[in-house]
Amino acid sequence: GWSLGGRVNPLDRLLERVTLEPAYGPVFYQTLFDSDVYALIPAGEAPTPKGRVRFVMWTGQDGQQVIPFFSSRAAVRRALNANTQALRVNGRVFLEACRGGFVVLNPNERYFCRLTPSELALLLDTGSPNLPENYVTTRDMQVEIAMPSEAPAEMLTSLSLLFAQEPAVE
């Protein structure tokens, strides 16, 4: 078959999936940590000898300053202008460097992911941006799930997709 614009990288594919189906969250965020992403830095700048770098910030529609980053060369290319250049960096390293800020993955694309400073901190500390703060599991915890008489089909699909990724869940 025909493919548009070359092959889609796993991070792009998962970003689309998690946008449509939240159960893909854990595998999306793990892939984000493991993948290289592209950030914008001012044109002509290079990381300092200590590895410090200034990321370009954009102002969101709500007036909020955000740090844009991109999942692919193609996406970052569409965002470049005369004042910016792209920097390729590991996803986890980039997100750690942005702690305390708002970040948006692929802000100008059809599928995007925006994280607030608290979601970003939670993601870096726990691997998920939206666990309740007091949520703690122990290794051998037994959880019983009672079925409601009418369960929404979307919820069952989400749960089965989510639990399929968790080896501890039978």
Side-chain angles (χ1 to χ4, degrees), residues 143-151 155-156 159:
V143 179
E144 274 192 43
I145 298 173
M147 284 297 285
S149 54
E150 290 292 312
M155 185 182 87
L156 294 176
L159 287 172

Side-chain angles (χ1 to χ4, degrees), residues 92-157:
R92 182 184 275 280
V93 170
F94 170 78
L95 292 170
E96 282 287 0
C98 294
R99 222 183 242 274
F102 285 83
V103 296
V104 186
L105 176 63
N106 293 353
N108 292 344
E109 304 293 316
R110 184 167 165 207
Y111 300 103
F112 62 92
C113 173
R114 179 183 170 124
L115 295 169
T116 65
S118 57
E119 288 170 331
L120 179 56
L122 200 57
L123 174 61
L124 290 165
D125 296 341
T126 69
S128 171
N130 48 18
L131 285 178
E133 265 79 2
N134 56 2
Y135 180 86
V136 178
T137 59
T138 57
R139 275 213 115 20
D140 300 313
M141 191 166 86
Q142 293 291 313
V143 179
E144 274 192 43
I145 298 173
M147 284 297 285
S149 54
E150 290 292 312
E154 305 86 56
M155 185 182 87
L156 294 176
T157 305

Side-chain angles (χ1 to χ4, degrees), residues 19-91:
T19 304
L20 305 170
E21 176 47 76
Y24 283 102
V27 68
F28 167 73
Y29 290 111
Q30 190 54 58
T31 304
L32 177 58
F33 283 161
D34 296 342
S35 299
D36 281 348
V37 296
Y38 298 85
L40 296 176
I41 63 173
E45 276 196 24
T48 66
K50 286 190 173 154
R52 288 195 169 284
V53 69
R54 259 187 337 143
F55 296 121
V56 169
M57 295 185 93
W58 286 358
T59 304
Q61 287 152 331
D62 56 0
Q64 180 65 58
Q65 290 277 295
V66 300
I67 303 168
F69 69 114
F70 304 87
S71 58
S72 66
R73 274 201 179 94
V76 77
R77 236 182 249 128
R78 290 190 281 274
L80 286 171
N81 62 38
N83 303 316
T84 58
Q85 63 186 3
L87 176 73
R88 185 173 164 183
V89 60
N90 166 267

